[in-house]
Amino acid sequence: MNSNYDLAWLRYGGASVERSAAIQLFEGYLSNIVAAGEGSSPLFRTAVQELTEGLAKLTGKQPAVEPNAAADRFVALGTIGGAGNPLLNDSVEGAEAARLGEEGYIIRKAAREGKDYILIAGGSDKGLLYGVFHFLRLLQTAGQSPDGLNLVEAPKYQLRMVNQWDNMDGSIERGYAGQSIFYQDSKIVSDLTRVREYARLLASVGINGIAINNVNVHEVETKLITPELLPDVARVADVFREYGIRLYLSVNFAAPIELGGTSTADPLEPAVQEWWKQRTADIYRYVADFGGFLVKADSENRPGPFTYGRDHADGANMLAEALEPYGGLVLWRCFVYDCHQDWRDRKTDRARAAYDHFKPLDGRFKDNVILQIKNGPMDFQVREPVSPLFGAMKQTNQMLEFQITQEYTGQQRHVCYLIPQWKEVLEFDTLCEGEGSKVKDIVAGQVHPYKHSGITAVSSIGDDYNWTGHYLAQSNLYGYGRLLWNPELSAEEIAEEWTSMTFGVNQDVASTILDILMESWPTYESYTSPLGVGWMVVPHYHYGPDVDGYEYSKWGTYHFADRDGIGVDRTLATGTGYSHQYVGANAALYDSLESCPDELLLFFHHVPYTYVLKSGKTVIQHIYDTHFAGVEQVEKWIARWDALESKLDPQRFAHVKERLLEQLESAKHWRDVINTYFYRKSGIKDQHNRVIY
Ligand code: GCU
């Protein structure tokens, strides 16, 4: 494993970052930290240490940490409900404190007995840690002065998680940033320094849960729940605990058979139930605050309850019962579909699968089960509609799954800032309880009163020096956490924060990176598969174009292009009826060719190439135009990046430049393959007579 790493957005100045104006404004407060009495928990110590180190780097001066207020100006840390800290209790009202919950915090300018200070008060030690990271961020971003400083923050989501798809041989499924930082040679690594750094990065943006192994649980990983490997799992849990992050494990539904205990994994079989209870008891002996199990069952050839004629409620509830006495959760994935479909079968529609499997089970799950639903009905494409399962189950806890790793969006060789995509998902109004039933509120348990809910995502990191393969892809990990804390933040605001923490406050650098990030998702979409139809990627690898790569395969991902037209008919009258998994006006919107938004047209409808879009262009001309424009956009970024050469450190300049050049080559390949394919299919010429082969 590579043990050198970049400090990402926690570099606090580093070599090339100019001092922000905010540091100067706060300067008088930053030499002294008052961390009073109550601070004995590991989390409290983490908070003090993070603030001390952060301030030392940002100001170039080691701050003094004292139990009492000796200086006239200082930063005071405390936990509400702590042992009567007067610096804190005088300036926080009871009602306010109640609003914070455990994870919230207050940052405000306060005064007492002639002292003038910045108060960071957490609802608990964990809230304090989040407050410290917020304060450090504030010092690096423009526009804040101590006067009038008064922030009261609490996270929108209860569960704010990442899922590692790491395998114990050190590989990472869909990983594009090197090898695992957790595993090597079928063991958990002995040196957890880099895992600790990862915990810091995650905690700094508010992540509070992590599943540390791939949802496809292979032979060795099946043993993570046994006393053979639990001592090592416990070491990892210890590291994350100091940053307020709970550890979860992905489990193999057939573990009772594979680990030799029983002859069946039938969830209704008492011996199987007992087996899981025993394993769960083992886990909690090693990891007292273990979060729970993440389960991929009956999905892409993984074992599950279907083998025994049971359904997913039977399977999930069996595990939930084992976890219940300890407060553990089952995160049960809904990515269940027929991956052995006959392409000749035009009735089966993979997009329908999650809803068809799970909706009828509403009300059958125990309350410590949460259904984990991918953002779209297919699989993290650059454009898909929002999964109609959100909000469709009133009595079943739900959480949303995003993919930070860029499996289908350029694999961290292309820049593709995903926050705008995720914001569209969160803002989608499902109409499940009438207008205003948005996904962002459903998965916060605010539309239906779910006991547990939240958001998770497949992580994007590996042991590459820069963590994420593409340096600019760090913004997706950063932004993911920020969005989960507060989905009202705009994609621009998040990009600006990340840029100034990571690259400093130079205006040219900041505005160039902001533009590239904000243009990147639409650009990636423009030169890949058109109008929501998805796929067209090289099978298995999912990088680069192969228009018919999946067309005659078993995976259920077709575009149905012929000489006359393209797209999947998912309407009620003539297609698969998927459109009617949506509620009321949404169903009508997608079902009708007239109202269906252009960007999803080919997801819902099969149309001739000459069909005229709302944009006024024909489908075929749209394909040509967007594919030429996408490449031109990447060329513009390269010119703008080149102009930053003297303003950036040589390493990061050269790295991003190299990635942009690769993106350009790949975008040209996409352009030429897609344009040529559709020109040959349709025989229709480009109106502008550009080169098509
Ligand atoms: C996709 C991905 C797989 C992954 C699966 C999942 O199909 O290509 O690698 O295992 O999603 O989410 O389970």
Side-chain angles (χ1 to χ4, degrees):
M1 204 227 329
N2 180 8
S3 49
N4 290 325
Y5 50 84
D6 177 79
L7 296 174
W9 57 87
L10 298 182
R11 56 205 301 120
Y12 300 130
S16 67
V17 176
E18 291 168 26
R19 228 168 229 229
S20 84
I23 296 181
Q24 283 151 37
L25 290 171
F26 280 89
E27 196 128 45
Y29 298 90
L30 305 181
S31 308
N32 294 280
I33 298 171
V34 177
E38 67 267 38
S40 53
S41 84
L43 257 175
F44 190 94
R45 283 200 298 276
T46 306
V48 176
Q49 187 188 338
E50 286 294 335
L51 184 63
T52 313
E53 283 173 15
L55 290 183
K57 281 193 180 166
L58 282 169
T59 64
K61 233 174 49 199
Q62 188 71 23
V65 183
E66 297 153 350
N68 300 308
D72 288 338
R73 287 180 151 195
F74 49 86
V75 180
L77 302 185
T79 299
I80 289 164
N85 181 345
L87 291 172
L88 187 148
N89 294 348
D90 287 5
S91 43
V92 180
E93 286 166 19
E96 202 173 51
R99 270 211 332 264
L100 295 181
E102 286 201 350
E103 297 188 307
Y105 54 83
I106 291 168
I107 305 178
R108 74 167 47 123
K109 192 166 170 304
R112 185 174 194 274
E113 294 175 356
K115 313 267 185 197
D116 172 16
Y117 57 99
I118 307 295
L119 173 71
I120 308 179
S124 69
D125 292 346
K126 194 160 154 201
L128 174 67
L129 177 65
Y130 295 145
V132 160
F133 279 121
H134 189 144
F135 183 60
L136 290 166
R137 182 166 66 237
L138 211 116
L139 294 178
Q140 299 171 80
T141 42
Q144 185 65 64
S145 89
D147 297 318
L149 176 64
N150 187 8
L151 298 168
V152 182
E153 289 265 336
K156 167 101 170 174
Y157 299 103
Q158 182 192 90
L159 293 172
R160 304 181 300 280
M161 289 192 56
V162 289
N163 296 174
Q164 302 303 131
W165 281 3
D166 297 36
N167 301 313
M168 289 188 75
D169 64 3
S171 65
I172 304 175
E173 181 152 331
R174 310 304 175 189
Y176 310 106
Q179 295 289 106
S180 172
I181 64 167
F182 293 87
Y183 311 102
Q184 202 172 14
D185 303 330
S186 298
K187 293 195 184 74
I188 292 186
V189 294
S190 52
D191 178 359
L192 294 175
T193 314
R194 201 151 175 186
V195 170
R196 174 177 297 275
E197 277 306 304
Y198 185 40
R200 292 185 66 221
L201 289 171
L202 294 177
S204 75
V205 290
I207 299 300
N208 66 3
I210 184 169
I212 60 165
N213 62 306
N214 189 359
V215 287
N216 294 311
V217 185
H218 307 296
E219 197 180 331
V220 200
E221 294 81 3
T222 300
K223 293 189 196 146
L224 281 167
I225 54 172
T226 64
E228 186 186 331
L229 294 180
L230 279 170
D232 282 325
V233 171
R235 283 194 299 120
V236 178
D238 290 346
V239 170
F240 281 110
R241 186 178 304 110
E242 284 184 25
Y243 282 89
I245 299 167
R246 270 195 175 189
L247 186 135
Y248 295 69
L249 290 171
S250 298
V251 294
N252 177 349
F253 197 79
I257 303 173
E258 291 187 21
L259 295 176
T262 64
S263 58
T264 169
D266 182 348
L268 299 192
E269 171 67 39
V272 173
Q273 296 168 352
E274 188 50 33
W275 189 91
W276 280 106
K277 284 184 182 152
Q278 289 306 324
R279 292 294 77 72
T280 306
D282 287 342
I283 296 172
Y284 281 93
R285 263 196 294 283
Y286 288 92
V287 183
D289 59 351
F290 178 66
F293 297 141
L294 171 59
V295 195
K296 173 175 180 175
D298 292 317
S299 164
E300 299 186 329
N301 307 315
R302 301 309 300 157
F306 286 165
T307 310
Y308 310 98
R310 313 300 183 195
D311 64 28
H312 281 237
D314 297 327
N317 289 343
M318 184 255 312
L319 296 175
E321 229 163 78
L323 288 157
E324 200 169 25
Y326 312 93
L329 304 175
V330 177
L331 315 179
W332 189 271
R333 296 178 84 230
C334 296
F335 187 55
V336 178
Y337 68 98
D338 179 4
C339 66
H340 295 279
Q341 188 178 330
D342 184 341
W343 60 269
R344 302 166 192 87
D345 161 16
R346 298 291 294 262
K347 292 250 164 357
T348 305
D349 180 5
R350 172 169 164 176
R352 293 188 56 120
Y355 184 102
D356 285 345
H357 281 298
F358 286 92
K359 162 95 176 156
L361 301 179
D362 191 18
R364 294 250 336 269
F365 292 91
K366 289 183 72 78
D367 70 0
N368 59 332
V369 176
I370 312 176
L371 296 186
Q372 181 166 316
I373 306 165
K374 287 191 183 187
N375 61 267
M378 297 298 275
D379 193 13
F380 305 130
Q381 300 302 291
V382 67
R383 176 79 64 179
E384 298 185 37
V386 171
S387 170
L389 195 52
F390 290 112
M393 302 173 75
K394 293 176 205 252
Q395 300 171 71
T396 308
N397 299 323
Q398 295 193 331
M399 73 191 291
L400 166 63
E401 179 179 320
F402 286 127
Q403 194 184 43
I404 313 173
T405 196
Q406 292 172 231
E407 175 176 358
Y408 296 99
T409 49
Q411 305 198 348
Q412 285 131 264
R413 298 197 237 171
H414 297 221
V415 49
C416 190
Y417 179 57
L418 291 166
I419 311 301
Q421 185 200 50
W422 299 339
K423 281 195 70 83
E424 280 194 16
V425 173
L426 293 171
E427 290 300 329
F428 181 72
D429 195 343
T430 67
L431 307 178
C432 68
E433 294 294 332
E435 261 178 54
S437 313
K438 292 190 175 183
V439 170
K440 68 177 175 188
D441 298 321
I442 290 169
V443 297
Q446 291 166 350
V447 171
H448 305 129
Y450 298 150
K451 182 158 177 209
H452 301 285
S453 55
I455 303 184
T456 190
V458 186
S459 177
S460 56
I461 66 110
D463 76 342
D464 270 9
Y465 178 78
N466 68 23
W467 297 93
T468 49
H470 197 309
Y471 202 92
L472 300 184
Q474 288 179 5
S475 61
N476 284 326
L477 182 62
Y478 176 88
Y480 169 71
R482 296 289 292 130
L483 197 62
L484 266 52
W485 187 274
N486 179 7
E488 303 309 317
L489 290 171
S490 72
E492 287 89 342
E493 281 174 288
I494 292 173
E496 276 165 355
E497 279 181 8
W498 175 78
T499 307
S500 72
M501 292 176 75
T502 309
F503 286 97
V505 292
N506 180 291
Q507 258 318 308
D508 293 337
V509 174
S511 63
T512 302
I513 294 177
L514 178 66
D515 290 348
I516 293 177
L517 291 180
M518 290 307 296
E519 288 156 7
S520 61
W521 173 49
T523 298
Y524 188 82
E525 180 175 25
S526 71
Y527 59 73
T528 55
S529 66
L531 297 165
V533 77
W535 310 93
M536 302 190 175
V537 285
V538 176
H540 184 66
Y541 299 104
H542 302 167
Y543 186 79
D546 183 348
V547 182
D548 286 338
Y550 277 121
E551 196 57 17
Y552 306 101
S553 78
K554 60 185 182 176
W555 294 96
T557 56
Y558 314 114
H559 54 67
F560 302 120
D562 59 20
R563 65 179 185 177
D564 300 316
I566 176 177
V568 190
D569 185 351
R570 292 190 160 105
T571 62
L572 191 60
T574 53
T576 69
Y578 166 79
S579 60
H580 276 256
Q581 290 185 344
Y582 292 90
V583 176
N586 285 340
L589 176 86
Y590 293 136
D591 200 61
S592 137
L593 188 53
E594 283 66 46
S595 59
C596 184
D598 280 353
E599 69 273 13
L600 288 170
L601 187 76
L602 303 182
F603 193 94
F604 286 98
H605 299 273
H606 186 91
V607 297
Y609 296 113
T610 50
Y611 179 79
V612 180
L613 298 167
K614 294 187 183 52
S615 68
K617 288 182 184 178
T618 60
V619 166
I620 190 74
Q621 195 57 40
H622 171 93
I623 292 175
Y624 297 150
D625 288 352
T626 51
H627 284 76
F628 283 110
V631 172
E632 284 159 22
Q633 186 63 61
V634 181
E635 283 166 343
K636 285 184 201 145
W637 294 341
I638 293 173
R640 289 195 66 187
W641 190 257
D642 281 340
L644 298 182
E645 183 156 11
S646 62
K647 296 172 177 134
L648 287 168
D649 49 292
Q651 195 195 10
R652 289 192 291 178
F653 173 79
H655 159 81
V656 174
K657 173 74 186 275
E658 172 234 302
R659 294 274 147 155
L660 286 172
L661 290 174
E662 173 166 354
Q663 180 167 7
L664 180 62
E665 282 318 298
S666 177
K668 283 181 185 165
H669 187 51
W670 268 102
R671 174 195 67 192
D672 293 337
V673 169
I674 299 281
N675 283 348
T676 302
Y677 179 96
F678 286 104
Y679 173 60
R680 290 182 187 173
K681 276 260 145 133
S682 70
I684 301 172
K685 283 194 174 151
D686 169 34
Q687 283 171 359
H688 307 294
N689 280 319
R690 289 163 291 195
V691 181
I692 295 175
Y693 297 88

